[in-house]
Structure formats: C-alpha cells, structure tokens
Amino acid sequence: MINTNPSKAMKFRTKFVMTAVFSVLFVSVAANFFKISVLDNKTYQDMANNQHFASMAVSAHRGSIYDSKGVVFAKSATVYTVFVDPKQFNADVKSLQSRIDKRNLDKASGKYVPKFDEEGNELDVLPASAEEFVAKATEFISIKLEIAQSKFTSAINAEGQYRELKGKVEKATVDEINEFFDSMGFISIGYNEDTKRYYPQDDLAASVVGYTNGNVYYGIEASYNKYLSGVDGRTISAKDSHGNALPYKYSKTYDPQDGSDVYLTIDREIQYILEKYLKEMTEENYVKNRSCAILMNPKTGAILGMAQYPSFNLNDPRELNGDMLINKVYNEKNIYSPTEKEKEDAEAEAVERQLRNKCVSERYEPGSVFKIITAASTLEEKTIDTDTWSHYCRGVETFKDGQRELEIHCHKLPPGHGMRTFQEALTDSCNPAFMELGKLLGIEKFHSYFEAFGFAEETGIDLPAEAVGDIPPIEDTEGRKAMTHIDLAYSAFGQCETVTPIELITACSAAINGGYLLQPYVVDRVVDGDGNIVLKNERTVRRQVISEDTSTKMRQALRTVVEDNPSGNVDIKGYAIGGKSGTSERRSEPEVVRNLNDNSVTEGNSLEYGASYVCFTPADDPELILLVLADMPDNSPGAYYGSKCAVPCAEKILKEILPYLGMSPEYNEEELKNRDINVPLLTGASIDDAKKTLDEMGIRHVEIGNGIEVVEQSPQTGKAISKDGCVYLYTEKYTESEKMVKVPYLIGCSPEVANQSIYLYELNYTAKGVVSSQSGSYVKKQSYEAGTYVPKGTTIELEFETDTFTD
C-alpha cells in the first residue's frame, strides 16, 4: 500500500516556505508601521489634524512706515472679516420662531407682561415672524456691507459652517451688525480680526513708500516686506466625527506677531518742498514725461528726499493723475483717434508707468551733467596737464568712422567758443573740448570709468525694480555693435549713454566726496514692537573711484563753474555752491511731431530733450547734493535748456531747504558789499535820530515835510532794498495820492537802465536770479505790473536772466 502522508522532507520544506513568507510579511508590516509612525509621522499627523481640526489665519498687524522725524507715512488699522455660519443661522431662525410662537401663546393667554425702559420704550420686541426678520436682516446686511442681497441669501442657504460675507470692514460697521443680530439672540454672524493699510500723507513720497494691496507690493512696502509683514496668527477649531466644525467656543487662537516699524531717511518737510517745486516746474515748462528730484547726503548716501511729478495717491494708486502719461503712450504708439479698447489699454499702461519710481527705474541721456564724470576721469588719469592744456572750439567737429562721416556741433554754433582751458571748457560746457578729452581717455578707459562710477550696475538702493545704465560695448556682442569713436565723442558729453537719476547722483557724489562710490539708502532703521533696532543702515562704500586729490579739484572746478557763470547755475548769496547743468537730446525716445489736441502736424523741432541740473553745498565740504530733471519739457527753441527749466527749480528748493536744515549763510566780502539791506523801524523816532541810524547803515534817505518826528516811512520796517536804495521819511501827514508813484515797465531792460528807471520813479528794488551786473543780463519779471500805483519808496523785486546758455 502506497504511503500518501507527506515525508519529513516535505514537511520541512513546507514549514520553511511558510516561515519565510510570514517572516517577509511581518518585516514588511513592521517596516511600513515604522515608516508611518516614525518616518512619516508629521505627514500623517497633519492629515489627521486636517480631519479633526479646521484652521483659519489671523492677520498680523503690518508695521508702520515713518519719516526721519516720526511722521507716519503708512500704518495699519484693525478691520474685520464678517462671515456667517449657515448651519447655526438656520438654528437661530428656528429658535427665534419658537420664541415668537411662545410669545404669541402667552399673549393669547394673557400671561405676557411687556417690559419698558425709562423712556417708555418696549424692550425685547420680536418681529411678526422669523421669516420677516430674515428679510429685514438681508436688506440690513446688504446696506451695511455694500453687497448684493443675493450674496447673503446664498450664504445662509449654503452647506457647511463658514461663508465669508466681506473683508476689511470697519469696526463701527461691525458694531452695528453685532447689535442688530444680538437683539434677536443670533450667534451665527461672526467676525475675524484683520488689518487695513492707510497712507495718511496721500501722494507725498508715494513712489518711495509704495503700497500693498493683497499680494501686490511696491516701494518700501515691497523691499522691506519681510520686516513689515510680521507673522500671521491662527485660529484652530475642532471637527466632529462627520467632519463638521464644532461651535467656535471650542476654538483656540494663536496670536499673530506684529510687523516691525520702518523709519525712513526722508524728511516729510523736505519731501514736500521737492514735490511743490517739481509740480511748478513741470507745469510751467509743459513737461511730457514726468519730472523728478533727489536730495542726498553725499558723505553717507542717505536720501533726504526723492520725488517725482506727477505722483499718485497711495490710498487709490490705480487712479491716473492727469493726462501726461496717457498722452505719452498715445504718442509712442502713434494713436491719434483712440478706440475704446485703445483707451483702456493706454490707461492701464499709463497707470503702470505712474507707479514706477522714475528716480530708480527709468533711464535717460544725462547730457552735459555727465561732463562731471568725464572731467573727473580725465583728472584721475592725468591725460592732460590742466595748467597748460587748451582746446580751440570752432563750433563743430567732423568725425570719420570707416565710410561714415559725421559733424557734431557745439551748443555755441560757429564760430564756437574759441580757445578754452580745461576750466573754461567745463564752465562754458564746450562739447568739442570734451570730445577731445574723451578721445584722450580712449574707449577702454572711458568704459572702465563708466563702470567704476557705477553706471553699469545697480546702486544697491533699498528700493525695488532698479534699472541699470547702458553704453555701447567695447567689442561686438550679439545684437549690439562695439563703441565707435563717434560714440565715444557723444558719450564724453553725455549723449550716447543712458543712466538712471539715482546712478547719476551717486556717481556725482563720488566725484566730490573724496572719490567714494556709496550705496544710497532710503531707510534709516527697522524697529520691532519692543523698541529693539533689528536693522540699521549706515554709510556703505562700494569702492573708491578717484583719489581725494582729484575729488578736491573737482569740487573747486564745479564751484568755479557757478562763480563764473551764475546765469546757468544756482547762486544763492551766503552759500558756496558747485554745480553743472545739462541738456540732452532724448534719442532713446521716438520722435513725435503730431499735436494730440487737433491731430495736426507740429512745425519745428520734433526732438525731445532732458533738462537737468546737479548742485552741491557747501562747495568745500559737501553735505547736500541735489539732482533735478525735467524729462521732455517744451521743445520750443530756447525753452528746453537745463539752465532754463531745472536750475530755477533747484534754486527754489535750496532756498527753502537750507534754512530748514539750519545751514546758515556765510557771506563773503563781495556778497556783504552787495547784500540787500533790511529797513529798520524809524517811525516814531526823531528825524535826527532816524537820519543818524540810516547814515550809520549806509542807506540814502529823503526827508519829506517840516516836522521834527518821523510819522511814516517807506519802505516799511523789515522790507529789503538794494545797497543803493533810498528810504523816504515823512515828518508830516500826506494824503495817499500825494505819496503814490507809478511803476515803470522794466521787462527786457538791462541792469543799468532798470536801475536808473527805478530811482527816477522814486522806487527801490532787489535783484533776483542772475547777478544783475552780469554781462548780457536783463529783467525777466517784475513784482509789480507796469502802470500800478504804489507808495513812494516801495521795493520792486526784479528777476534777471541772460540768454547765455552753457548746457
């Protein structure tokens, strides 16, 4: 009989296989258990928490932005997100209806006893039905939150336990909503704390401060967002076994960590002065592509003011400020009768341009202001002996580059400036002389200084979207040809390269501050909620570009530019100022020859220009440097020069800012000699004492009447007169008509003729603008209109200018 029982060998093999299989399964299960419980513990814990807990962010209060003296530029205020719990709302409705039904029964049975307040008003009044209250609540919410009634209706009929109604709701509105629903015992309307950004200064320093709107950030709001934003908190609420959120009383809130405050280097008053005069300059000169100005400390790189006009309102940043930029877009795209779609697209593009910081994000041809850089490079390289070098300017230079031949003109057409030394070439802004200086430097050296002065890289300023200057490369590159000798000639006087305003003022600072290229900054410090300084910006030297000796020579040379040519520069009595104006052809912009108003072709010049000015003070040890740019002013002949547009603006800015900063005037001997005199108080004094006082002050005087006491004087106390002025002393009462004289017409008169006319008419004057004794100067404006009758001795303010341009 055959034995069918398994043999010992078979049993052994079976046990071995089974043991191996179970061992593999056990190891696999154990390994997977280890992976889930240890290695992937965090992942599965989060999944479990997501099933058992609901999470809601609680916004942190964003830090504030202040000016250098603590004036608020940006702040956050508490607002609320209003939401409804649909499930609880329906329960509240049922509860209300039950209360109404019970009250109706109590009223029917006579059990209800109403309660009244001290004024006799019934308390705890219920609507006729819960349905009526829901209708009233829908209308109420719609009005208070400014939402459609359908949104509220949809929310209360939705599934789940959270439906947002509206965010950024002010506390006063929330209080009204809370009171309305509390009166009926509703607990289904909830509020989450949030923040809203406010900008108390509106458009002041808008391009610097920037704004935030959700996840969109501009300006300081963007570059310092990690400090300002803080850390959001969170509200955690439990869920039941079916995934439904439990009532909010079971939630736990983790408080947010508020953001730090940012303090700018910018002073609000200085910023206001910059923007005030930029606006005036822009409107008077019909600027087409915005104007901008920067005031900086050249020793540290701290920006005291950075402005552009037109600006924009930070509380409504998408609102276009005027038609300037939209007209610019139309011109560039040759749109003269825009369709609705073209209008919409042009406005959107204009708004984006308006939001740009022109000082940091836009390039332009610098013009003759760049001669500061060419001159500094020449002095540093010692390519000429400034004591013996000279250049003869014929008014035009001819350049050949292969088959190409080009004539480049000086702003002073033939016969030109004639023989000019280095200083004279800088003062007169002679283009041919600087073409020669560029040639002596050579393409490679010129390039190296262009880069060394920081024009080929970002300045590192703590603002976003910084652009970088440009110049033709030394060698051919993909899509770009190498710099030619013609390009070098143009570049030497600022016409072939493009730069940003912040690059230019930083480079000019290096030319006068000892040669150090600094990193500019607009934020002084960041302070946390406990008052700790978490970041402090200070002077940062990027590199030394020129020697201190070269820088000293540049300061002296630019001071001489102002002294020898006050007509084209800022020259304020009592302040030593160095500077250089510039006028550039905006060849990087398309030429526009059509008039948008009537679609007609404009006759004359189709080129656009950049009118700019850089100045600094005190000249021997600069503490302030100012750049003003009018981008594309009126391009009528003679109207677009830097000395015509930017210099008057810069002068007005400094005349207000210097006293504000406590920088007192220090008059030299010549200025003291020609300084205007303030008339003292003489009324009430004896005629002898009055005449003695005026004699001691060196002021001429005329006695009118036979009395022994001064009963009236003209000009009045505190009024200024020129050193050759006259004070009229009345010792008897005269009628108004007896004291009046007629103001002559002085516009266009030379200083000599104006002076004679003023005194012939028994008046006084003070000179403004160009030094009245300068050759070629004439009266541009007079403070009293010709033909006006004024009291004898009245001071007429005369503004002089000259037609001599050195841009």
Side-chain angles (χ1 to χ4, degrees), residues 644 747-751 776-780 799-803:
K644 286 282 189 181
I747 305 298
C749 291
S750 67
S777 61
Y778 60 90
V779 178
K780 177 185 178 184
E799 183 175 340
F800 289 88
E801 74 170 7
T802 177
D803 283 332

Side-chain angles (χ1 to χ4, degrees), residues 572-588:
I572 303 172
K573 292 178 182 178
Y575 296 94
I577 298 172
K580 184 75 188 75
S581 60
T583 305
S584 62
E585 294 179 349
R586 295 288 272 113
R587 294 189 177 275
S588 60

Side-chain angles (χ1 to χ4, degrees), residues 272-287:
Y272 172 76
I273 293 168
L274 289 181
E275 295 192 16
K276 176 175 65 173
Y277 290 117
L278 273 186
K279 180 178 187 292
E280 180 182 292
M281 178 186 73
T282 303
E283 293 176 349
E284 287 184 355
N285 294 282
Y286 306 102
V287 176

Side-chain angles (χ1 to χ4, degrees), residues 74-87:
K75 66 177 181 179
S76 292
T78 300
V79 288
Y80 298 87
T81 298
V82 180
F83 65 89
V84 62
D85 178 342
K87 185 176 180 180

Side-chain angles (χ1 to χ4, degrees), residues 509-528:
S509 293
I512 62 165
N513 70 5
Y516 300 97
L517 186 68
L518 305 178
Q519 180 175 312
Y521 58 95
V522 295
V523 168
D524 176 67
R525 63 193 183 279
V526 178
V527 181
D528 67 17

